[in-house]
Amino acid sequence: AAQADTDMTLSIDIPEAFPILEADLCIILGNLLENAVEACKRMESGQRAIRLKMSMPSSQTMVIIIENSYEGKIRVSPDGNFLSSKTTGRRGIGISSVLNITEKYNGIPRFEYRNNTFKVSLLLNASR
Protein backbone atom coordinates (compact mmCIF):
# COMPACT_ATOMS: atom_id res chain seq x y z
CA ALA A 1 0.00 0.00 0.00
CA ALA A 2 2.84 2.38 0.84
CA GLN A 3 4.48 1.71 -2.53
CA ALA A 4 1.15 2.53 -4.19
CA ASP A 5 0.97 5.86 -2.31
CA THR A 6 -2.14 4.60 -0.48
CA ASP A 7 -3.29 5.58 3.00
CA MET A 8 -3.96 2.47 5.06
CA THR A 9 -6.00 2.39 8.25
CA LEU A 10 -6.15 -0.74 10.42
CA SER A 11 -8.54 -1.44 13.27
CA ILE A 12 -7.98 -4.96 14.58
CA ASP A 13 -9.58 -6.16 17.78
CA ILE A 14 -9.26 -9.93 17.94
CA PRO A 15 -7.87 -12.18 20.67
CA GLU A 16 -4.53 -13.91 20.27
CA ALA A 17 -6.33 -17.24 19.97
CA PHE A 18 -9.30 -17.36 17.62
CA PRO A 19 -11.31 -20.21 16.05
CA ILE A 20 -10.56 -19.40 12.39
CA LEU A 21 -7.63 -21.32 10.89
CA GLU A 22 -4.68 -18.99 10.33
CA ALA A 23 -4.23 -20.32 6.79
CA ASP A 24 -7.85 -19.45 5.97
CA LEU A 25 -7.46 -15.98 7.44
CA CYS A 26 -4.28 -15.45 5.41
CA ILE A 27 -6.08 -16.46 2.19
CA ILE A 28 -8.93 -14.04 2.91
CA LEU A 29 -6.72 -11.11 3.88
CA GLY A 30 -4.11 -11.80 1.20
CA ASN A 31 -6.63 -11.88 -1.64
CA LEU A 32 -8.78 -8.98 -0.49
CA LEU A 33 -5.85 -6.71 0.35
CA GLU A 34 -4.11 -7.56 -2.93
CA ASN A 35 -7.28 -6.61 -4.81
CA ALA A 36 -7.58 -3.38 -2.81
CA VAL A 37 -3.96 -2.37 -3.47
CA GLU A 38 -4.31 -3.15 -7.19
CA ALA A 39 -7.48 -1.05 -7.41
CA CYS A 40 -5.69 1.85 -5.73
CA LYS A 41 -2.67 1.51 -8.04
CA ARG A 42 -4.96 1.84 -11.07
CA MET A 43 -6.40 5.14 -9.82
CA GLU A 44 -5.34 8.16 -11.84
CA SER A 45 -6.85 10.78 -9.53
CA GLY A 46 -8.38 11.10 -6.09
CA GLN A 47 -7.18 9.87 -2.73
CA ARG A 48 -6.06 6.27 -2.51
CA ALA A 49 -7.20 4.62 0.70
CA ILE A 50 -7.66 1.19 2.25
CA ARG A 51 -9.41 0.55 5.56
CA LEU A 52 -9.35 -2.83 7.32
CA LYS A 53 -11.51 -3.58 10.35
CA MET A 54 -11.50 -6.92 12.14
CA SER A 55 -13.41 -7.81 15.27
CA MET A 56 -14.97 -10.71 17.11
CA PRO A 57 -18.42 -9.86 18.46
CA SER A 58 -18.52 -13.33 20.05
CA SER A 59 -16.02 -16.10 20.76
CA GLN A 60 -17.06 -17.94 17.56
CA THR A 61 -17.83 -15.06 15.20
CA MET A 62 -15.36 -12.91 13.28
CA VAL A 63 -16.19 -9.84 11.21
CA ILE A 64 -13.82 -8.60 8.51
CA ILE A 65 -14.49 -5.37 6.61
CA ILE A 66 -12.19 -4.02 3.93
CA GLU A 67 -12.95 -0.79 2.08
CA ASN A 68 -10.86 0.69 -0.68
CA SER A 69 -11.05 3.54 -3.12
CA TYR A 70 -11.23 2.77 -6.84
CA GLU A 71 -11.89 4.36 -10.22
CA GLY A 72 -13.60 2.91 -13.21
CA LYS A 73 -16.16 0.20 -13.63
CA ILE A 74 -16.50 -2.96 -11.55
CA ARG A 75 -16.71 -5.89 -13.94
CA VAL A 76 -19.45 -8.38 -13.09
CA SER A 77 -20.65 -11.34 -15.18
CA PRO A 78 -24.36 -11.75 -16.02
CA ASP A 79 -24.65 -14.35 -13.22
CA GLY A 80 -23.32 -11.85 -10.66
CA ASN A 81 -19.73 -13.08 -10.31
CA PHE A 82 -16.88 -10.59 -10.26
CA LEU A 83 -14.64 -10.79 -13.31
CA SER A 84 -10.88 -10.60 -13.16
CA SER A 85 -9.27 -7.30 -14.05
CA LYS A 86 -6.21 -9.23 -15.23
CA THR A 87 -7.84 -11.63 -17.70
CA THR A 88 -10.77 -10.87 -19.98
CA GLY A 89 -13.98 -12.80 -19.30
CA ARG A 90 -12.66 -14.86 -16.36
CA ARG A 91 -13.90 -15.00 -12.80
CA GLY A 92 -11.59 -13.56 -10.20
CA ILE A 93 -9.78 -16.47 -8.53
CA GLY A 94 -9.06 -14.47 -5.36
CA ILE A 95 -12.71 -13.61 -4.73
CA SER A 96 -13.68 -17.24 -5.42
CA SER A 97 -11.19 -18.38 -2.77
CA VAL A 98 -12.59 -15.86 -0.27
CA LEU A 99 -16.15 -17.03 -0.98
CA ASN A 100 -15.18 -20.69 -0.53
CA ILE A 101 -13.65 -20.00 2.87
CA THR A 102 -16.61 -17.85 3.89
CA GLU A 103 -18.90 -20.77 3.03
CA LYS A 104 -16.65 -23.16 5.00
CA TYR A 105 -17.34 -21.05 8.11
CA ASN A 106 -21.09 -20.79 7.46
CA GLY A 107 -20.42 -17.16 6.74
CA ILE A 108 -22.12 -14.31 5.01
CA PRO A 109 -20.27 -12.28 2.35
CA ARG A 110 -21.39 -8.85 1.22
CA PHE A 111 -19.92 -6.75 -1.58
CA GLU A 112 -20.87 -3.11 -2.11
CA TYR A 113 -19.46 -0.59 -4.53
CA ARG A 114 -20.59 2.99 -4.97
CA ASN A 115 -19.15 6.48 -4.87
CA ASN A 116 -15.70 5.12 -5.77
CA THR A 117 -15.56 2.94 -2.64
CA PHE A 118 -15.50 -0.87 -2.82
CA LYS A 119 -16.47 -2.58 0.43
CA VAL A 120 -16.24 -6.26 1.35
CA SER A 121 -17.88 -7.40 4.59
CA LEU A 122 -17.49 -10.96 5.79
CA LEU A 123 -19.13 -12.62 8.77
CA LEU A 124 -17.42 -15.90 9.68
CA ASN A 125 -19.02 -18.30 12.13
CA ALA A 126 -16.64 -20.94 13.50
CA SER A 127 -19.26 -22.91 15.44
CA ARG A 128 -20.61 -25.86 13.50
Side-chain angles (χ1 to χ4, degrees), residues 37-90:
V37 169
E38 286 179 7
C40 288
K41 280 183 180 179
R42 286 193 298 270
M43 291 179 64
E44 294 180 15
S45 64
Q47 180 156 352
R48 298 173 176 174
I50 299 172
R51 288 177 294 287
L52 166 66
K53 296 179 185 178
M54 292 177 61
S55 63
M56 291 195 58
S58 77
S59 64
Q60 297 296 308
T61 305
M62 181 178 282
V63 175
I64 301 170
I65 300 171
I66 297 179
E67 294 179 278
N68 64 272
S69 53
Y70 76 95
E71 286 180 346
K73 186 174 178 174
I74 303 295
R75 297 176 28 185
V76 181
S77 69
D79 62 357
N81 291 305
F82 291 100
L83 297 175
S84 174
S85 60
K86 299 172 190 165
T87 309
T88 305
R90 267 174 119 189

Side-chain angles (χ1 to χ4, degrees), residues 7-28:
D7 291 331
M8 186 140 183
T9 305
L10 305 173
S11 174
I12 301 172
D13 185 16
I14 58 174
E16 193 169 316
F18 49 85
I20 309 299
L21 291 175
E22 287 182 17
D24 290 340
L25 190 57
C26 287
I27 290 168
I28 289 172

Side-chain angles (χ1 to χ4, degrees), residues 29 51 109 111:
L29 293 175
R51 288 177 294 287
F111 298 89

Side-chain angles (χ1 to χ4, degrees), residues 90-108:
R90 267 174 119 189
R91 272 180 81 178
I93 295 171
I95 294 289
S96 295
S97 298
V98 169
L99 291 173
N100 288 338
I101 292 171
T102 302
E103 184 177 324
K104 173 182 175 179
Y105 289 98
N106 304 307
I108 301 170

